[in-house]
Amino acid sequence: MRRKLFIKTWGCQMNVYDSDRMAALLARHGYERTDRAEEADLILLNTCHIREKAAEKVYSELGRLRQLRERRRQQGAETLIAVAGCVAQAEGELVFERAPFVDIVVGPQAYHRLPELLARRARALGGVIDTDFAVDRKFDEVSLPEVNGAVSAFLTIQEGCDKFCTFCVVPYTRGAEISRPAAEVLAEARRLVAAGVREITLLGQNVDAWHGEGPDGRSWNLARLIRALAEMPGLARIRYTTSHPLDMDADLVRAHGEVPQLAPFLHLPLQSGSDRVLRAMNRRYTADDYRRLVGELRTVRPDIALSSDFIVGFPGEREEDHEATLRLVEEIGFAQAYSFKFSARPGTPAAAMRQQVPDDVKERRLAELQALLDAQMRAFNAAQVGRTLEVLFERPGRHPGQLVGRSPYMQAVHVSDPELAIGDLASVEITEYHPHSLAGRVVTPH
Ligand code: SAH
Ligand code: SF4
Ligand code: F3S
């Protein structure tokens, strides 16, 4: 019997990757993916715990799903509801307390046991839970996601985090840092490329901390892995995210100057421009370290653009700290950024710190920072007009004959050209700038 599976995903790209893998695994057990929750026999929520808002969204979604399940029941159909991801890991049994109608709670390292959990749920009266950390098995048994003609794909190479920034739940929800073996990563990359993928984004909560034994028996770092991927014919572009500034070693910086496939765009979370706040956050770098690192990257790859994450209103953040952040942002210049108000997460050291910053102050600081970052982003996008960028074409555009691709800087680029096909990498002269995209014409096709 074919059953239908609906997945809703929140949080980071690793959750997106995991959702696809869970779908591939469940497909082997008769589940076909649907984008309509109303017709699903199994609803899987892949959740995020990073900020309070993210976690609360899950419970409001569960409230809606409860009604949906009731309506389906009246029509004689049963619906199973599973909570996966970081809320499942962080809250465990508490999920059943807050939402007793949930059938399954499954943590990020137990996905390979989903079929078994479904079978157990069919026999049991109450909900079933699995939040073990059995990382080694997860990647072996959770199969490769369907590529479905995608030009760009994610590939998780590292999971977990040992950094313990004082504000962050990830070390608790994803567990200790582990790297996937190089041979496994290369094999998955080869399968993706054979299926037509031309761009791979290597994923990890601390992706630049990746290390492992290479096929040559030597110890590899991320730079070495990237160089091996760059030798794969057909793979046009390589990205990696998210990097911690501390783990950006000299080899990786050098790779940016030497590996043409490596996109000149790097997400490098800064969080704050104040050394005092960075220390309290346990980030283990100073504003100067960050400045120096960016300088090195720009030396080897002058066209590199940066994206970043910021937290305003960390406990004890004074006006002068906030101003230090604004000044450093002005000095460095970011092409793109995410910024957040500090959210106190249960169990993290920062949640218990004194001198929590009042919400209205956080609000104002966030508005100031975002105004600056938005202006930088607009200026960066507008500055692309007249430049020639490598664009990888991913999908049809809204107008007939038009294709949409991505620049190295993740900008959407619209081009109408009868010679162009999805999957092509072409040099495009940018002629127009719109708030959310660029447009241009092909100069040299590849
Ligand atoms: N591993 C990455 C970030 C993972 S979380 C890194 O080290 O930078 C993504 C972003 O969420 C973080 O960079 C941070 O800016 C933000 N974030 C994490 N915890 C937060 C919290 N408690 N409150 C507000 N923002 C938070
Ligand atoms: Fe969280 Fe810090 Fe680890 Fe990033 S490095 S995942 S912010 S603890
Ligand atoms: Fe969220 Fe977990 Fe990713 S908390 S950001 S889904 S690692």
Side-chain angles (χ1 to χ4, degrees):
M1 192 187 70
R2 298 295 300 168
R3 282 162 297 181
K4 294 218 157 138
L5 163 70
F6 172 82
I7 307 184
K8 182 156 181 172
T9 308
W10 289 272
C12 59
Q13 290 146 323
M14 305 190 64
N15 265 11
V16 175
Y17 177 84
D18 282 347
S19 288
D20 287 346
R21 286 173 83 104
M22 285 190 272
L25 172 70
L26 291 169
R28 283 200 258 132
H29 294 265
Y31 284 95
E32 186 188 339
R33 202 160 172 179
T34 170
D35 50 15
R36 295 182 51 228
E38 313 82 77
E39 62 171 24
D41 304 290
L42 171 59
I43 295 178
L44 188 61
L45 303 184
N46 196 4
T47 63
C48 175
H49 202 247
I50 201 82
R51 284 167 292 274
E52 190 180 354
K53 246 199 222 144
E56 285 312 308
K57 275 188 200 146
V58 176
Y59 288 101
S60 40
E61 181 70 23
L62 280 171
R64 282 192 291 277
L65 290 180
R66 179 190 207 160
Q67 292 169 5
L68 182 147
R69 172 178 25 224
E70 217 30 66
R71 282 197 302 277
R72 274 180 47 96
R73 186 164 280 167
Q74 280 159 15
Q75 294 156 9
E78 287 302 320
T79 317
L80 287 173
I81 299 177
V83 176
C86 290
V87 171
Q89 190 63 43
E91 302 197 350
E93 296 280 350
L94 198 66
V95 175
F96 294 130
E97 270 169 48
R98 288 189 63 182
F101 51 93
V102 167
D103 298 285
I104 293 172
V105 172
V106 58
Q109 309 305 350
Y111 294 156
H112 54 288
R113 286 196 293 266
L114 258 174
E116 181 192 322
L117 291 171
L118 284 163
R120 251 167 63 198
R121 178 66 189 94
R123 294 192 300 269
L125 285 174
V128 293
I129 183 163
D130 192 336
T131 49
D132 276 0
F133 281 120
V135 194
D136 48 325
R137 305 286 304 271
K138 170 180 172 181
F139 289 119
D140 298 350
E141 295 180 38
V142 178
S143 49
L144 180 73
E146 309 278 323
V147 173
N148 289 333
V151 170
S152 179
F154 292 143
L155 202 176
T156 294
I157 63 168
Q158 181 275 332
E159 275 215 75
C161 183
D162 297 334
K163 294 280 190 299
F164 290 94
C165 300
T166 52
F167 52 80
C168 184
V169 294
V170 171
Y172 313 97
T173 63
R174 295 272 171 166
E177 202 173 286
I178 66 129
S179 295
R180 282 177 83 183
E184 206 181 292
V185 172
L186 294 172
E188 186 163 325
R190 267 192 291 272
R191 274 180 286 164
L192 290 170
V193 172
V197 166
R198 304 218 57 207
E199 173 183 87
I200 291 180
T201 303
L202 304 172
L203 298 182
Q205 267 94 14
N206 248 304
V207 75
D208 50 348
W210 181 92
H211 58 94
E213 192 186 316
D216 57 3
R218 297 216 190 139
S219 163
W220 281 20
N221 55 15
L222 182 60
R224 185 68 193 82
L225 182 68
I226 287 170
R227 287 178 195 274
L229 288 167
E231 281 165 23
M232 237 171 244
L235 186 57
R237 203 183 255 172
I238 304 167
R239 303 177 185 274
Y240 59 94
T241 198
T242 297
S243 306
H244 191 293
L246 199 66
D247 289 320
M248 290 291 302
D249 61 24
D251 282 349
L252 194 51
V253 171
R254 211 172 309 120
H256 275 279
E258 292 171 3
V259 179
Q261 293 94 328
L262 196 51
F265 187 56
L266 184 64
H267 184 61
L268 196 61
L270 171 58
Q271 314 298 359
S272 168
S274 151
D275 287 343
R276 213 174 56 81
V277 172
L278 287 170
R279 206 174 318 116
M281 288 176 163
N282 191 32
R283 289 293 289 182
R284 295 187 270 174
Y285 54 81
T286 61
D288 238 8
D289 294 333
Y290 192 92
R291 205 179 262 126
R292 209 172 310 123
L293 178 57
V294 170
E296 288 166 11
L297 286 161
R298 285 180 170 158
T299 304
V300 297
R301 188 78 210 230
D303 62 344
I304 200 165
L306 296 166
S307 139
S308 201
D309 289 345
F310 296 90
I311 296 178
V312 300
F314 186 82
E317 184 189 66
R318 300 183 200 133
E319 217 45 44
E320 67 218 52
D321 300 311
H322 172 60
E323 271 153 28
T325 302
L326 296 177
R327 275 199 308 275
L328 191 56
V329 167
E330 258 170 41
E331 179 192 323
I332 289 184
F334 292 94
Q336 203 208 316
Y338 305 91
S339 41
F340 314 97
K341 289 192 283 181
F342 167 74
S343 169
R345 306 308 290 129
T348 60
M353 285 178 187
R354 281 175 303 167
Q355 297 182 291
Q356 296 284 329
V357 175
D359 195 59
D360 56 330
V361 176
K362 285 188 204 170
E363 200 66 67
R364 194 228 338 124
R365 289 181 188 167
L366 185 66
E368 287 172 5
L369 178 59
Q370 285 185 341
L372 177 58
L373 290 167
D374 281 352
Q376 290 192 339
M377 187 184 71
R378 278 196 304 274
F380 178 79
N381 290 338
Q384 305 309 312
V385 175
R387 278 186 73 183
T388 297
L389 301 177
E390 301 272 279
V391 177
L392 180 59
F393 289 91
E394 293 183 347
R395 58 186 167 90
R398 232 180 299 144
H399 305 294
Q402 187 189 53
L403 290 184
V404 187
R406 289 207 178 267
S407 77
Y409 311 118
M410 300 293 280
Q411 298 143 314
V413 182
H414 296 252
V415 176
S416 293
D417 190 319
E419 307 272 285
L420 220 49
I422 287 174
D424 282 354
L425 184 75
S427 295
V428 172
E429 187 193 313
I430 305 301
T431 53
E432 284 172 52
Y433 153 68
H434 304 285
H436 300 287
S437 64
L438 303 171
R441 55 179 183 82
V442 174
V443 192
T444 21
H446 287 227

